[in-house]
Amino acid sequence: QLVESGGGAVQSGGSLRLSCTASGFYFSRYCLTWFRQRPGQEREGVAGIDSQGHTIYSDSARGRFTISLDHPTNHLYLQMNSLQPEDTAMYYCAARRTGAWHGPFSSLSYEDWGQGTQVTVSS
């Protein structure tokens, strides 16, 4: 089970750090990705990290967001800077352990999901 935290309301240009932790398994062995779902839109991948520490970012996130994994505490983070109103969304962390691979930003690739944390950015 994954649990996210750190969401909130900020003004345009502000920053937030999202956190995700798991019970029952260690993050370091799996592919992990942050997704978001904006109102009326499909869930989209934002940033991912694999078991070797390689990272990938969506075009909208690259240069503003940073994904990281703290192994000792088993926490996944998403540092979000220069937030804009279009970043307003529910943010989810997802973990892939086994199963079919549909690409790093396809929700079908991931078995475990958190409940989400809301990020609201005002102009």
Side-chain angles (χ1 to χ4, degrees), residues 2-122:
L2 306 181
V3 179
E4 303 97 335
S5 62
V10 296
Q11 292 189 329
S12 179
S15 298
L16 283 173
R17 188 177 78 158
L18 306 184
S19 176
C20 175
T21 190
S23 59
F25 63 94
Y26 290 100
F27 279 154
S28 60
R29 301 172 65 179
Y30 307 112
C31 292
L32 306 163
T33 295
W34 285 98
F35 285 81
R36 70 184 181 187
Q37 188 162 19
R38 293 180 275 194
Q41 298 191 24
E42 295 185 354
R43 195 169 294 187
E44 61 176 345
V46 174
I49 187 167
D50 68 14
S51 59
Q52 297 183 349
H54 300 123
T55 58
I56 185 172
Y57 296 93
S58 67
D59 289 343
S60 63
R62 191 175 298 111
R64 299 187 300 129
F65 295 2
T66 303
I67 188 171
S68 62
L69 179 59
D70 186 79
H71 294 278
T73 63
N74 203 39
H75 274 75
L76 177 72
Y77 296 105
L78 184 67
Q79 177 67 44
M80 305 187 295
N81 299 326
S82 302
L83 284 162
Q84 301 299 315
E86 53 266 34
D87 295 314
T88 295
M90 186 71 81
Y91 284 74
Y92 301 88
C93 64
R96 175 178 181 271
R97 291 188 269 183
T98 60
W101 179 241
H102 297 271
F105 286 158
S106 171
S107 59
L108 297 176
S109 298
Y110 300 87
E111 299 98 336
D112 296 286
W113 293 84
Q115 82 290 347
T117 186
Q118 178 68 38
V119 172
T120 302
V121 185
S122 59

